[in-house]
Amino acid sequence: MEVIVSARHFDVDESIKEYVTEKMSKLSEEYAKLTTARVVLSLERNWQVAEGHVTGKQLDMEARASTTDMYSSIDEISDKLERQLRRHLGKMREHRHQVSLSEALVEETAGDVGDAEEFEEVAAV
């Protein structure tokens, strides 16, 4: 996964870049379909703001956090993105499960109709 780190109103040092890359790579280990993570760090008065944007196959999620410490802001967006991804994947699994159940019901009712047709043929004879 490609991790892009940029900053507004200040220069990013290597330790912050490495920290962001480490946090975002943990997300890509759990969710293999992620392609790009973009993190924008900024300073707004007394707040240190981190904005995260993750894209992947049929996936686009954003998170924003502002605290007085840049590292805790990065932790918060990482946690928020992980929660969003977990929820999205849960919905996808649930949808697949519902589709497979509905297909099973269709097959079951189709089998019942076939039995009824056989019964009518035997009764007619």
Side-chain angles (χ1 to χ4, degrees):
M1 174 172 75
E2 179 183 11
V3 178
I4 301 167
V5 181
S6 60
R8 288 187 213 132
H9 310 299
F10 74 102
D11 294 326
V12 179
D13 60 342
E14 286 300 316
S15 63
I16 292 178
K17 281 185 181 181
E18 290 175 8
Y19 190 72
V20 170
T21 305
E22 175 187 328
K23 285 292 196 175
M24 294 299 138
S25 64
K26 285 183 182 178
L27 288 177
S28 72
E29 289 173 3
E30 287 188 41
Y31 311 103
K33 295 185 180 185
L34 296 179
T35 57
T36 307
R38 178 173 298 159
V39 177
V40 179
L41 308 172
S42 63
L43 298 174
E44 297 176 4
R45 294 187 184 181
N46 295 332
W47 296 104
Q48 298 190 9
V49 180
E51 299 172 4
H53 186 88
V54 176
T55 57
K57 184 177 179 183
Q58 299 177 350
L59 185 69
D60 189 21
M61 298 189 175
E62 294 181 359
R64 178 185 166 102
S66 56
T67 62
T68 57
D69 180 37
M70 188 60 73
Y71 289 98
S72 60
S73 295
I74 294 166
D75 288 339
E76 279 190 33
I77 65 164
S78 174
D79 293 342
K80 286 180 180 181
L81 288 170
E82 184 177 2
R83 267 185 267 133
Q84 289 177 16
L85 287 167
R86 194 176 317 128
R87 186 170 159 202
H88 176 74
L89 290 177
K91 286 181 179 180
M92 297 299 288
R93 284 189 199 112
E94 184 178 309
H95 177 71
R96 283 189 195 149
H97 183 68
Q98 288 177 351
V99 169
S100 64
L101 283 177
S102 63
E103 288 175 358
L105 287 173
V106 167
E107 289 176 5
E108 184 177 308
T109 56
D112 292 343
V113 170
D115 293 340
E117 290 173 358
E118 290 176 11
F119 178 74
E120 290 175 3
E121 289 176 8
V122 171
V125 173

